[in-house]
Amino acid sequence: MKFLKFLLVGIFFGIVLVKSEAVSWYRIYEMFKFQSFHMYGIIGSAVFLGVLFIWIFKKYKVKSIEGREIDLAPKDKGVARYILGGTIFGFGWALAGACPGPMYILVGTGVFSMFIVIGAALLGTFIYGLLQNKLPH
């Protein structure tokens, strides 16, 4: 019961992504071929709202549920790791037709082949954990 609110928010988020066609392979394909603004509009809206909420958190010193001030640590400067990580993420997204969140949503909609993608993502996460100390951070 403690995590019920998170489950309900996740279900709501999944419904929104399905209804907005953000989990549609065709919409993702259109995006990577620069044929439609649909996905760029969704992603752009998410980025805008993220920036807005972080600005609000910093300006008004918003506190967490436990009453502690939310502290957002600054990111290390560096471009190469973001380009490399973004490229690997993009290749995985293009090959699988889904980024990590929608993989689970697609399983919920009956696309059971996504279990293969989820398994590959878990394997990649495990391999990253093994190689983490040898990679530039």
Side-chain angles (χ1 to χ4, degrees):
M1 293 303 288
K2 179 176 156 183
F3 298 109
L4 182 62
K5 60 186 170 192
F6 300 110
L7 177 65
L8 294 175
V9 168
I11 290 171
F12 175 73
F13 184 62
I15 291 169
V16 168
L17 287 180
V18 169
K19 291 297 183 182
S20 69
E21 296 183 354
V23 297
S24 165
W25 180 88
Y26 180 73
R27 288 293 186 184
I28 294 166
Y29 180 73
E30 278 183 330
M31 177 187 70
F32 281 115
K33 290 189 73 177
F34 301 104
Q35 293 177 336
S36 175
F37 181 76
H38 185 87
M39 290 296 289
Y40 292 110
I42 291 172
I43 293 168
S45 299
V47 169
F48 172 76
L49 289 173
V51 169
L52 177 67
F53 281 115
I54 287 174
W55 177 77
I56 290 170
F57 285 6
K58 287 182 176 182
K59 181 168 177 61
Y60 296 106
K61 304 205 182 308
V62 175
K63 297 185 189 280
S64 68
I65 293 173
E66 292 87 24
R68 288 178 277 171
E69 188 175 320
I70 297 174
D71 183 35
L72 302 170
K75 295 276 187 182
D76 293 335
K77 302 291 185 220
V79 176
R81 66 187 181 152
Y82 296 118
I83 291 174
L84 179 62
T87 301
I88 293 170
F89 182 85
F91 281 149
W93 191 7
L95 289 171
C99 62
M103 291 187 313
Y104 299 99
I105 295 167
L106 287 167
V107 168
T109 62
V111 183
F112 297 116
S113 60
M114 277 293 138
F115 279 123
I116 297 168
V117 177
I118 291 170
L122 291 173
L123 178 64
T125 304
F126 177 73
I127 292 171
Y128 171 78
L130 293 176
L131 299 176
Q132 183 177 9
N133 295 332
K134 296 172 181 66
L135 297 172
H137 284 93

